[in-house]
Amino acid sequence: MTRPLRRDAQRNRELLVAAAREVFGEKGLDAPLEEIARRAGVAIGTLYNRFPTRMDLVEAAFGGLLDRLAGEAEQALKADDPWDGLVELIVRTCELQTIDRGMTELCTSALLDAPGLRAARERVGEVCEKVLARAHDAGVLRPDFGLDDLAFAIAATTQAAPLGDWRRHLTFLLDGIRPQDT
């Protein structure tokens, strides 16, 4: 049984997680841990005391965000129109990933040392598959467009965001994934 953290230790943990979200979001998951400790206003030893590995810190920083993404995917299942639900899910995911480099890397990496994050990402994938199936069943999505295609489309859109108006290009992509006879 683990003891609750002292108040100052809990505060330091919260500061480190908040700083990690910022730094990973700006610079990616390979961002210097020293910068995270500096932004949190703690020593690097405090960071390693709370988070012995980089993946421990990544899990603390992103676990809740993946849960939120799964919740948004579940909201897409509740949309009256299956196409509108799918589009809303894609747009929200692209919005998040265009401003958060760490989230983009998290969604496209293997996560070998992060079973909690891997499980959360799998939950997101399972819900996204249901969103795709619903759109397929309604006949509003090309039958050959699957989960891997969705991941690739989101990654391509968000990676190209610095080149220009990603929303404009996303509309071209969305037109391309509709069945040809609609």
Side-chain angles (χ1 to χ4, degrees), residues 27-30 100-109 121:
K27 299 184 177 195
L29 300 180
D30 289 332
D100 191 327
R101 184 172 164 191
M103 187 65 171
T104 301
E105 290 177 8
L106 184 67
C107 289
T108 58
S109 66
R121 193 172 66 186

Side-chain angles (χ1 to χ4, degrees), residues 48-174:
Y48 283 114
N49 187 33
R50 294 273 69 87
F51 303 99
T53 69
R54 177 180 294 271
M55 251 330 124
D56 291 332
L57 183 57
V58 170
E59 282 197 89
F62 287 99
L65 194 57
L66 281 174
D67 290 338
R68 191 180 99 211
L69 189 58
E72 289 183 7
E74 288 169 354
Q75 285 300 112
L77 283 173
K78 297 175 184 175
D80 291 336
D81 181 89
W83 176 255
D84 291 343
L86 175 62
V87 170
E88 184 63 26
L89 174 63
I90 293 170
V91 169
R92 284 185 184 166
T93 304
C94 287
E95 285 172 341
L96 177 62
Q97 289 188 23
T98 56
I99 61 169
D100 191 327
R101 184 172 164 191
M103 187 65 171
T104 301
E105 290 177 8
L106 184 67
C107 289
T108 58
S109 66
L111 299 175
L112 299 175
D113 299 332
L117 287 176
R118 222 176 26 253
R121 193 172 66 186
E122 287 170 6
R123 180 173 159 241
V124 171
E126 289 168 4
V127 178
C128 286
E129 283 182 331
K130 291 177 184 176
V131 172
L132 292 172
R134 186 170 177 246
H136 283 136
D137 291 347
V140 296
L141 180 64
R142 287 173 54 141
D144 60 340
F145 189 84
L147 187 59
D148 289 341
D149 301 308
L150 177 63
F152 186 82
I154 290 169
T157 300
T158 58
Q159 291 297 314
L163 301 175
D165 181 5
W166 66 267
R167 289 175 188 276
R168 179 175 180 270
H169 295 282
L170 181 60
T171 60
F172 296 137
L173 183 137
L174 293 171

Side-chain angles (χ1 to χ4, degrees), residues 19-37 39 44 47-48 54 57-58 62 101-102 105:
R21 282 288 306 119
E22 282 180 18
V23 175
F24 288 147
E26 294 167 9
K27 299 184 177 195
L29 300 180
D30 289 332
L33 297 180
E34 294 80 7
E35 183 173 347
I36 293 169
R39 283 204 200 176
I44 191 69
L47 183 147
Y48 283 114
R54 177 180 294 271
L57 183 57
V58 170
F62 287 99
R101 184 172 164 191
E105 290 177 8

Side-chain angles (χ1 to χ4, degrees), residues 13-23 36 61:
R13 185 184 192 290
E14 291 167 3
L15 290 169
L16 283 163
V17 170
R21 282 288 306 119
E22 282 180 18
V23 175
I36 293 169

